[in-house]
Amino acid sequence: MKKSNVNEKMMPIQVHSKKLNHNNNNVKKSRFLITVNVLGSAGPIRFLVNGNDLVASVIDTALKTFAREGRLPVLGFDVDKFLLYCANEGSDALSPSEQIGSCGGRNFLLCKKHLQSQMTEGRAKTVAEKGSGWKAWLNKSFTFKITTLCH
């Protein structure tokens, strides 16, 4: 039995596709296994993607796989309500129109977007009566510290 090198395991699988009539060239598709961790879920989802698949289609596949496996929490199927982050990259979410292979990562994090709730008249009045919320608290805490240090 031949032992495989770690580098060989990390290489994407090359799959030969059907001949395409674009300039009579044979096109090879690069497929690789990705791991998607869903925020709030017990474990990751793993599936194969093409390197040129769009992030939006990867999110869609992840949501469908998540639902098919009966995982919790129930997420729904609206791709526009989710962000996909590359675990190896910075803190910016991947653009839905970006190709999944462009970031070079194989580990991703799927999160729901935080939608800001619209402020109703009653809530706006309550906030106005209390002051500015965190600003008022911050001013109070600084005033308290300054007066206790001076005396």
Side-chain angles (χ1 to χ4, degrees):
M1 219 171 136
K2 179 185 171 188
K3 288 187 177 182
S4 61
N5 191 342
V6 173
N7 292 335
E8 292 174 2
K9 289 181 182 178
M10 299 297 285
M11 297 296 293
I13 301 169
Q14 296 293 326
V15 178
H16 297 286
S17 66
K18 295 179 182 178
K19 290 183 181 179
L20 299 176
N21 291 330
H22 303 289
N23 300 329
N24 294 328
N25 293 332
N26 291 337
V27 178
K28 294 181 181 179
K29 290 185 180 179
S30 176
R31 292 179 56 101
F32 49 89
L33 182 70
I34 64 168
T35 302
V36 178
N37 289 299
V38 179
L39 196 62
S41 179
I45 300 170
R46 292 180 181 90
F47 54 92
L48 287 172
V49 294
N50 290 324
N52 58 355
D53 284 349
L54 297 180
V55 170
S57 69
V58 172
I59 293 173
D60 185 51
T61 303
L63 292 173
K64 288 177 181 174
T65 304
F66 194 82
R68 184 177 47 233
E69 293 178 1
R71 294 180 179 227
L72 294 175
V74 176
L75 299 175
F77 297 103
D78 190 1
V79 174
D80 296 329
K81 292 184 179 180
F82 292 89
L83 296 171
L84 190 68
Y85 294 89
C86 184
N88 302 335
E89 293 293 317
S91 60
D92 291 339
L94 299 174
S95 168
S97 59
E98 188 177 348
Q99 291 184 353
I100 196 70
S102 66
C103 77
R106 302 294 183 259
N107 298 314
F108 299 92
L109 178 65
L110 183 66
C111 303
K112 259 191 173 177
K113 288 181 183 177
H114 291 287
L115 303 174
Q116 293 180 347
S117 61
Q118 295 178 347
M119 193 175 287
T120 61
E121 278 184 37
R123 185 164 181 234
K125 189 182 270 187
T126 306
V127 170
E129 290 172 0
K130 286 184 177 178
S132 59
W134 66 271
K135 288 181 184 177
W137 174 84
L138 188 64
N139 286 335
K140 264 189 197 176
S141 64
F142 280 141
T143 306
F144 176 72
K145 287 180 183 175
I146 291 171
T147 56
T148 56
L149 293 174
C150 293
H151 294 285

